[in-house]
Amino acid sequence: MFDIATTLFSSIALLLQSGSEAAASTAAIPPKAGAALAVGLAAFGAGYAERGIGAAAVGAIAEDEDMFGRGLILTVLPETLVIFALVITFTI
Amino acid sequence: MKLRQEDGAANYEYVTARIRSRRASLFDESDYRKLVRMGPDEIARFMEESEYEREMNALGSRFSGVDLIEYALNENLGKHFDDVLNWTDGEPYGYLARYLRKFDAWNVKTALRGIYSESPPTEIDDDLIEAGELSDDLLGQLVEADSIESAVELLAGTLFSDVLADAYELYEESGILVPLENAIDRAYYTNLYAGLPSDPSRAEELYVEFVEAEIDFRNLRNALRITLSGADIDPAEFCISGGRLFDETELRQLANNPDELVARVRSSTYGEELEDGLDELDDAQDLVAFERALEVALLEYSDTLSSRYPLSVCPVLAYVLAKEREVDNIRAIARGREAGLGPDEIETELVIT
């Protein structure tokens, strides 16, 4: 899991570097690419967070069906991260 | 139960969520207060309306009274532990399977004692708990065995085969079961420690801490029993290595001097949990009360460990301990009521956190 994250981040660092070499006066990477990255990374983080919460929620539901509503809400809570990231896309 | 390969990623989140739910549905203090005032039949009815419903219904046509309660308890215990093993994957599965071999040790000891006292096979079979690794077939053959020797032979290839072969010679010389029983316990505890990675992660550290606490408490109980009973036994013989509190030589020195032993425990990491029990021991020299305090302290310590780092195997092990205590408590209540003990007398026998 963490391997994937580190490779991802190092590739982003490369991307930033090559961007700055090409046009030092303007933004490091094109604004749209930046926004895409923001949403993508946020979604990635949300997915990772939901993995653990989802597993625990399914466990709780298996023991007690009444937990379904609460489990569902807790599972999608990290999804708010993606919504915040989407806000970024409107600022450009 | 057949052990499978440990594969897949650890699924601590799923397992701990389920375990905590089951932990919460164990009987609590108020349930026990009700139970100690009931007769055996009322206890049976109470259990029918609880967690034990399925077992009570399944066994109800064949048994009655306290026997029914006891069979249902054993059956339920086995079912829960099998369940837990079914859910777990990866690393925690290995730890849990290793820990649950405690029931293998129990079963083998029960079978050997039964054969030794020449009890009929059905009677021995009643006392087995089907929660370990040994298959039902093997256990069946074990209780049918006509001598200790053939029982030891049957166990070839299991965890206990090597140590039992050695201990059998001692048994032949002395004619008492103690060497065999000690060998089984030692084999179990050695196995708990075996194969742990040299560079433990936080979750593994906690597993080790849990196992060490259990070994320490066991050593402590043995030492106190020997000291207070004044028996002329070398305590080191019963010492299980691996604990944090003391090793064999220290134990030998301390066992001759109860005051020093108590002082040692008081200043150890368990001092806080055991404080009340130790005070009681100082005042009354009451070993039974202290042993119960030990059980309570171990339960509380396991709870502390499991909340300190929730994503580890500790909540599961704490549940196993708590479930065992519950089964013991209900059995004590049912048997006590059958024998005509009063509620207060029974309550002093219960281990309630």
Side-chain angles (χ1 to χ4, degrees):
Chain A
M1 195 67 230
F2 291 110
D3 296 346
I4 306 173
T6 37
T7 24
L8 198 71
F9 284 124
S10 51
S11 60
I12 294 164
L14 273 179
L15 204 75
L16 290 172
Q17 264 176 1
S18 59
S20 60
E21 275 164 20
S25 56
T26 57
I29 51 172
K32 283 200 174 150
L37 260 181
V39 177
L41 284 176
F44 181 79
Y48 184 63
E50 278 169 24
R51 164 194 175 272
I53 305 173
V58 171
I61 297 165
E63 287 298 315
D64 177 8
E65 298 231 350
D66 296 343
M67 292 297 289
F68 181 76
R70 246 178 286 175
L72 191 69
I73 290 172
L74 289 175
T75 310
V76 297
L77 264 190
E79 208 67 43
T80 49
L81 281 179
V82 188
I83 300 174
F84 292 145
L86 271 180
V87 174
I88 303 287
T89 59
F90 296 115
T91 61
I92 49 167
Chain B
M1 184 193 80
K2 190 85 191 80
L3 288 188
R4 55 196 153 96
Q5 277 288 310
E6 307 171 22
D7 51 4
N11 55 347
Y12 285 120
E13 294 93 346
Y14 178 75
V15 175
T16 40
R18 290 198 78 159
I19 282 296
R20 281 187 193 279
S21 166
R22 295 216 170 172
R23 175 79 213 252
S25 65
L26 293 182
F27 289 165
D28 59 13
E29 222 183 318
S30 62
D31 288 326
Y32 285 128
R33 213 172 298 135
K34 270 184 260 166
L35 278 170
V36 291
R37 285 173 178 74
M38 294 178 183
D41 292 333
E42 282 169 290
I43 296 175
R45 191 156 325 125
F46 185 85
M47 282 168 65
E48 239 169 78
E49 282 157 18
S50 71
E51 173 57 41
Y52 299 90
E53 187 188 347
R54 225 183 60 187
E55 288 77 19
M56 294 298 275
N57 288 336
L59 297 166
S61 56
R62 279 190 284 155
F63 307 103
S64 66
V66 183
D67 284 343
L68 171 63
I69 295 174
E70 194 146 323
Y71 288 124
L73 287 173
N74 279 349
E75 191 84 16
N76 187 272
L77 192 74
K79 184 195 89 178
H80 275 290
F81 295 161
D82 271 356
D83 275 0
V84 182
L85 273 175
N86 278 338
W87 311 326
T88 35
D89 265 330
E91 186 187 88
Y93 177 80
Y95 295 146
L96 188 64
R98 242 188 266 183
Y99 188 74
L100 288 181
R101 290 206 178 111
K102 144 197 306 200
F103 295 102
D104 285 335
W106 163 270
N107 284 341
V108 171
K109 275 194 281 185
T110 312
L112 289 182
R113 281 175 196 163
I115 299 166
Y116 185 71
S117 63
E118 290 169 4
S119 312
T122 45
E123 239 171 66
I124 311 174
D125 200 49
D126 288 348
D127 289 328
L128 300 183
I129 299 172
E130 281 163 20
E133 181 191 12
L134 303 179
S135 66
D136 293 352
D137 283 350
L138 181 60
L139 287 176
Q141 288 171 350
L142 209 55
V143 296
E144 298 279 352
D146 46 14
S147 69
I148 302 274
E149 191 178 6
S150 52
V152 170
E153 272 166 22
L154 275 172
L155 287 166
T158 64
L159 174 68
F160 308 109
S161 62
D162 292 346
V163 287
L164 273 183
D166 292 343
Y168 183 71
E169 286 167 23
L170 283 173
Y171 162 76
E172 276 203 317
E173 281 167 28
S174 60
I176 49 172
L177 275 183
V178 179
L180 287 174
E181 288 179 1
N182 280 351
I184 291 168
D185 278 337
R186 286 247 171 88
Y188 166 68
Y189 283 106
T190 323
N191 181 265
L192 269 182
Y193 260 125
L196 285 180
S198 53
D199 174 32
S201 69
R202 188 77 184 101
E204 286 155 0
E205 260 173 49
L206 281 163
Y207 168 77
V208 173
E209 219 169 292
F210 185 93
V211 172
E212 281 174 346
E214 199 172 312
I215 293 177
D216 278 339
F217 279 41
R218 184 148 298 237
N219 280 339
L220 180 60
R221 184 167 28 184
N222 287 345
L224 278 170
R225 274 188 193 165
I226 292 172
T227 343
L228 293 184
S229 68
D232 186 24
I233 309 172
D234 183 6
E237 235 175 80
F238 294 92
C239 180
I240 298 158
S241 57
R244 263 181 304 175
L245 208 52
F246 24 56
D247 62 23
E248 277 179 37
T249 33
E250 280 174 311
L251 194 66
R252 194 174 291 151
Q253 288 162 358
L254 290 171
N256 299 322
N257 191 341
D259 294 337
E260 220 170 279
L261 185 67
V262 170
R264 176 68 177 272
V265 179
R266 219 182 265 279
S267 60
S268 71
T269 32
Y270 312 113
E272 214 171 291
E273 276 108 353
L274 284 175
E275 209 177 345
D276 295 340
L278 287 170
D279 288 342
E280 224 168 297
L281 187 71
D282 270 351
D283 295 343
Q285 298 281 309
D286 183 357
L287 189 58
V288 180
F290 180 71
E291 283 189 13
R292 221 166 17 254
L294 264 184
E295 302 271 9
V296 174
L298 184 60
L299 272 183
E300 274 169 8
Y301 187 67
S302 68
D303 276 343
T304 320
L305 279 185
S306 57
S307 50
R308 200 181 293 163
Y309 194 83
L311 294 187
S312 72
V313 77
C314 284
V316 188
L317 299 185
Y319 168 75
V320 171
L321 267 187
K323 181 76 191 172
E324 262 186 276
R325 285 294 93 74
E326 180 185 270
V327 166
D328 285 350
N329 282 344
I330 300 177
R331 185 181 298 135
I333 294 173
R335 288 281 176 216
R337 293 303 289 180
E338 190 193 29
L341 294 180
D344 295 335
E345 278 170 301
I346 299 176
E347 236 163 52
T348 56
E349 295 297 322
L350 301 182
V351 179
I352 303 169
T353 47

